[in-house]
């Protein structure tokens, strides 16, 4: 083979390798994705009994399933609210037992919703300062400023996702709290606008809304803010529409609203990012994960047992 032929062959091979590299890089950029796991309306629903709790307690079963999703799929976990109330054990502990659940399950944030506020906004504010989970709400204000954290930033596959929480208008703050603490529900649009600006300033590439708003309110927000890539609706809005339940709603511009309709529901959502947000998978998961007795699981079930024993002891002291 001549030197010229050899040089030509090398040039062709180099070009082919370069094209393959470019194609692989393009596919990698196009295939950026994230898996989320969501819960909604857990209602602090621990069983009151310690006996056989690891097989019968619905919140412990939820914990195991959520941890499996995080462990096996690298899922990012958020809760859509109504998770602190009205369960007996959660009321007894003023929400602390559910904070233990959020802490040990790996929940990044929970949307403040109407039933959660039944524990009192001041108590929620105290729980939020524990740092064990982020309480998200851009539109519950105290003295004119957000009382909770308006947004969170989570990074997945090189994409920074701004997670903004918007509480439902059903999150009515009591008259006494309005007077004593100057707590109020602010207007949705200005609250979302401010949170989007803050999330973008923090480097968010994509905006996801965790919403308890009514469907017409969230549609108004989508029309107002094209920056919102996707809405996950749960807690106070479970997708009940015209007497039926809606799982997903697709906008004309391709953006998606997903609803979490079930009490004690666990949902997996896989998204891909390529100039927007595409929902590749959205499914409800059964609470059927087997025990995985790592140290966090043992600490969590130990703390739940202590709360139940305290509750049982104090219940016996109550006389009729």
């Amino acid at each position: 083979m001549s030197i010229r032929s050899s040089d030509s062959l090398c040039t062709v091979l180099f070009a082919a390798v370069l094209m393959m590299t470019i194609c692989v890089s393009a596919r990698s950029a196009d295939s950026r994705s994230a898996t989320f796991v969501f819960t909604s309306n857990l209602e602090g629903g621990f069983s009151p009994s310690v006996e056989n709790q690891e097989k019968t307690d619905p919140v412990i079963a939820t914990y195991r399933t959520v941890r499996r999703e995080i462990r096996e799929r690298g899922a990012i976990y958020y809760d859509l609210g109504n998770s602190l109330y009205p369960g007996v054990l959660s009321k007894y502990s003023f929400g602390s037992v559910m904070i233990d659940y959020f802490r040990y399950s790996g929940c990044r944030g929970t949307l403040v919703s109407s039933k959660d506020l039944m524990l009192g906004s001041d108590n929620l504010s105290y729980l939020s300062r524990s740092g064990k989970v982020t309480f998200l709400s851009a539109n519950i204000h105290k003295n004119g400023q957000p009382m909770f954290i308006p947004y969170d930033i989570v990074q997945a596959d090189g994409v920074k996702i701004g997670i903004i929480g918007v509480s439902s208008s059903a999150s009515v703050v009591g008259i006494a709290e309005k007077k004593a603490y100057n707590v109020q529900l602010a207007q949705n649009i200005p609250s979302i606008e401010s949170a989007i600006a803050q999330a973008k300033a923090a480097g968010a590439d994509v905006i996801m809304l965790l919403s308890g708003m009514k469907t017409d309110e969230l549609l108004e927000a989508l029309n107002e803010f094209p920056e919102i890539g996707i809405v996950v609706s749960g807690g106070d809005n479970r997708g009940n529409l015209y007497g039926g339940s809606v799982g997903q709603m697709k906008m004309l511009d391709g953006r998606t609203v997903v609803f979490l309709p079930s009490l004690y529901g666990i949902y997996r959502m896989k998204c891909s990012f390529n100039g927007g947000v595409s929902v590749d998978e959205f499914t409800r998961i059964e609470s059927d994960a087997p025990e995985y007795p790592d140290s966090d699981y043992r600490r969590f079930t130990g703390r739940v047992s202590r709360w139940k024993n305290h509750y049982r002891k104090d219940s016996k002291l109550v006389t009729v």
Side-chain angles (χ1 to χ4, degrees):
M1 182 181 292
S2 67
I3 294 175
R4 182 176 296 179
S5 299
S6 178
D7 288 344
S8 299
L9 180 59
C10 288
T11 302
V12 171
L13 288 173
F14 176 77
V17 170
L18 181 61
M19 287 299 295
M20 288 173 65
T21 303
I22 291 171
C23 290
V24 169
S25 298
R27 282 198 299 270
S28 298
D30 290 344
S31 63
R32 292 184 298 172
S33 64
T35 300
F36 290 87
V37 60
F38 299 110
T39 53
S40 181
N41 292 292
L42 297 180
E43 297 189 344
F46 290 93
S47 65
S49 175
V50 175
E51 289 75 24
N52 210 28
Q53 67 175 2
E54 295 186 20
K55 293 184 178 179
T56 61
D57 192 301
V59 180
I60 292 177
T62 297
Y63 172 96
R64 290 199 302 267
T65 303
V66 166
R67 289 298 299 172
R68 180 187 63 189
E69 293 295 307
I70 295 172
R71 185 174 62 251
E72 296 181 1
R73 300 174 184 269
I76 303 163
Y77 174 31
Y78 286 92
D79 175 73
L80 270 289
N82 286 338
S83 292
L84 302 176
Y85 192 93
V88 171
L89 198 65
S90 190
K91 283 193 292 185
Y92 169 77
S93 66
F94 295 96
S96 292
V97 68
M98 281 305 298
I99 300 303
D100 288 334
Y101 163 81
F102 288 138
R103 174 189 179 186
Y104 289 109
S105 66
C107 184
R108 283 191 63 94
T110 179
L111 177 66
V112 180
S113 299
S114 62
K115 290 181 182 178
D116 302 323
L117 283 166
M118 297 297 287
L119 288 175
S121 62
D122 199 44
N123 184 52
L124 287 191
S125 179
Y126 171 78
L127 292 173
S128 72
R129 292 194 296 271
S130 70
K132 296 174 182 177
V133 65
T134 299
F135 280 67
L136 290 167
S137 178
N139 58 333
I140 296 178
H141 285 197
K142 181 176 182 178
N143 297 321
Q145 297 296 322
M147 187 172 184
F148 303 100
I149 304 298
Y151 71 94
D152 186 28
I153 300 285
V154 61
Q155 187 161 329
D157 205 4
V159 179
K160 287 187 175 180
I161 308 162
I163 310 290
I164 294 173
V166 186
S167 300
S168 164
S169 56
S171 303
V172 179
V173 179
I175 294 174
E177 289 184 306
K178 285 182 180 179
K179 291 182 178 179
Y181 304 115
N182 198 17
V183 176
Q184 61 182 356
L185 194 68
Q187 293 182 349
N188 293 331
I189 297 301
S191 299
I192 296 169
E193 182 177 24
S194 176
I196 288 175
Q198 292 176 61
K200 282 185 170 181
D205 302 308
V206 176
I207 299 295
M208 177 186 293
L209 211 64
L210 304 186
S211 170
M213 294 184 291
K214 296 176 182 176
T215 302
D216 59 337
E217 293 172 334
L218 68 84
L219 291 176
E220 180 187 8
L222 280 168
N223 288 328
E224 186 74 22
F225 302 109
E227 304 97 318
I228 299 172
I230 185 170
V231 179
V232 181
S233 179
D236 290 311
N237 184 355
R238 296 159 51 192
N240 297 323
L241 197 63
Y242 304 118
S245 293
V246 178
Q248 293 188 46
M249 184 184 296
K250 198 84 168 179
M251 307 295 289
L252 290 175
D253 59 11
R255 292 180 295 169
T256 304
V257 181
V258 298
F259 294 92
L260 315 183
S262 300
L263 293 173
Y264 306 106
I266 312 170
Y267 296 84
R268 179 195 306 132
M269 181 178 77
K270 185 173 181 180
C271 299
S272 56
F273 309 101
N274 182 20
V277 184
S278 299
V279 178
D280 302 322
E281 177 189 359
F282 179 67
T283 185
R284 185 181 176 189
I285 313 167
E286 295 299 325
S287 300
D288 58 0
E291 292 183 26
Y292 189 85
D294 60 7
S295 58
D296 281 345
Y297 181 72
R298 289 192 294 270
R299 290 190 189 100
F300 169 60
T301 53
R303 289 187 66 82
V304 172
S305 296
R306 285 193 288 275
W307 278 117
K308 289 180 177 181
N309 287 329
H310 284 307
Y311 171 71
R312 181 184 296 179
K313 181 179 177 181
D314 288 351
S315 297
K316 289 179 180 179
L317 295 175
V318 177
T319 57
V320 179

